[in-house]
Amino acid sequence: MISIKSPREIELLEKAGLIVGQTHNYLKPFIKPGITTKELDKLAYDFIISQNATPSFLNYNGFPASICTSVNEQVVHGIPSDYKLKNGDIISIDIGACYKGYHGDSAWTYAVGDISEKKQYLLEHTEKALFAGLNVIKNGVRVGDIGASISAYAHKHHLGVVKELVGHGVGIKLHEEPDVPNYGKENTGPILKTGMVIAVEPMLNYGTANIFILDDDWTIVTADNKPSAHYEHTVVVLDDGYKILTKR
Ligand code: MG
Ligand code: MG
């Protein structure tokens, strides 16, 4: 059962989403060579707490940090560590915040210093793939329409679409129904209705779509070690479109 949020709930989801967007804004100037991913995690924790919210990911299924920091070939769920960012890295930062019981969820991939043309291409087209998915959303479309649009865009640009991880509904739980895959067929899957809130989050790889999980049981990496990017917004479905709740 996919819940339709009340105007009051959408207000709270919007506030949670705004805190997530502001946390991204706050971290951005710190994403430079020399900073450790643990330092970014601490900055994010302090900022989210200062906004009277809590980090959604901390202790979620045992996750040991407030944000996910996934560098280069890491796809998602990277654990903040003593790793110092280097010039030429890319880092996907996934942030969730819970405000008065409601969550916001948004990921973005950032360049550290000067990055290669290949990485630039990957970032540009993964962000555009997110919007290719978002732009089909309105009352009455099906979840498969989103995935079909994302995967068509990705394949046109020769990027691998990670299939094992998917977007999701968002509300009083971080992950609610429905699953929102980044692949699929048009006109299939659950129907989206005005007032539903979902996170759309393509993870695209420069090479193969295949992935595996590291021994820490969290970090997902590309099977061929090529870089991966991740862009995510939480949005509410409207009669004639959608509204981003995790705005920057
Ligand atoms: Mg996320
Ligand atoms: Mg998510």
Side-chain angles (χ1 to χ4, degrees):
M1 173 70 191
I2 308 172
S3 66
I4 292 179
K5 272 68 179 180
S6 69
R8 163 78 181 147
E9 288 183 297
I10 290 168
E11 233 174 74
L12 292 169
L13 286 158
E14 192 158 18
K15 176 68 180 160
L18 187 66
I19 293 167
V20 170
Q22 287 171 337
T23 310
H24 272 285
N25 283 343
Y26 175 71
L27 288 185
K28 202 176 172 200
F30 293 100
I31 303 169
K32 285 190 176 143
I35 193 162
T36 68
T37 50
K38 224 180 218 173
E39 286 167 334
L40 291 172
D41 183 63
K42 171 85 170 101
L43 288 165
Y45 175 86
D46 289 342
F47 185 83
I48 291 168
I49 295 293
S50 78
Q51 302 302 303
N52 301 315
T54 52
S56 303
F57 303 162
L58 187 60
N59 301 320
Y60 184 83
N61 292 334
F63 190 76
S66 298
I67 59 172
C68 300
T69 53
S70 308
V71 178
N72 297 328
E73 78 283 359
Q74 299 178 347
V75 179
V76 287
H77 302 166
I79 301 173
S81 71
D82 293 325
Y83 176 79
K84 276 193 174 122
L85 293 180
K86 293 196 304 276
N87 187 55
D89 283 345
I90 55 172
I91 180 171
S92 299
I93 297 187
D94 198 350
I95 302 176
C98 182
Y99 179 77
K100 294 191 177 170
Y102 288 83
H103 293 275
D105 187 7
S106 175
W108 214 254
T109 304
Y110 298 93
V112 182
D114 302 313
I115 60 170
S116 67
E117 266 177 39
K118 283 178 184 176
K119 284 178 171 172
Q120 193 62 57
Y121 178 93
L122 173 68
L123 267 51
E124 178 187 339
H125 292 298
T126 308
E127 181 180 349
K128 285 183 177 163
L130 167 62
F131 284 91
L134 292 176
N135 287 339
V136 304
I137 294 175
K138 61 180 179 182
N139 182 52
V141 303
R142 289 174 178 263
V143 165
D145 297 326
I146 299 173
S149 180
I150 290 171
S151 60
Y153 185 90
H155 291 144
K156 193 174 150 198
H157 292 87
H158 312 288
L159 297 171
V161 179
V162 174
K163 296 195 174 60
E164 290 84 346
L165 298 138
V166 297
H168 49 91
V170 182
I172 51 173
K173 287 197 287 183
L174 177 62
H175 295 122
E176 296 189 350
E177 287 183 61
D179 281 352
V180 183
N182 298 305
Y183 59 92
K185 279 199 173 69
E186 279 175 21
N187 214 19
T188 62
I191 297 172
L192 293 176
K193 296 194 179 126
T194 298
M196 289 179 178
V197 174
I198 57 170
V200 178
E201 49 177 316
M203 289 144 262
L204 302 187
N205 298 344
Y206 194 78
T208 176
N210 298 333
I211 57 170
F212 65 89
I213 185 158
L214 294 185
D215 287 341
D216 64 15
D217 285 337
W218 278 109
T219 315
I220 309 268
V221 297
T222 56
D224 59 6
N225 240 28
K226 289 189 177 154
S228 183
H230 182 203
Y231 287 80
E232 175 185 33
H233 270 312
T234 302
V235 305
V236 57
V237 179
L238 305 177
D239 289 343
D240 53 358
Y242 65 94
K243 181 180 185 187
I244 293 176
L245 301 179
T246 42
K247 275 195 198 89
R248 296 302 134 81

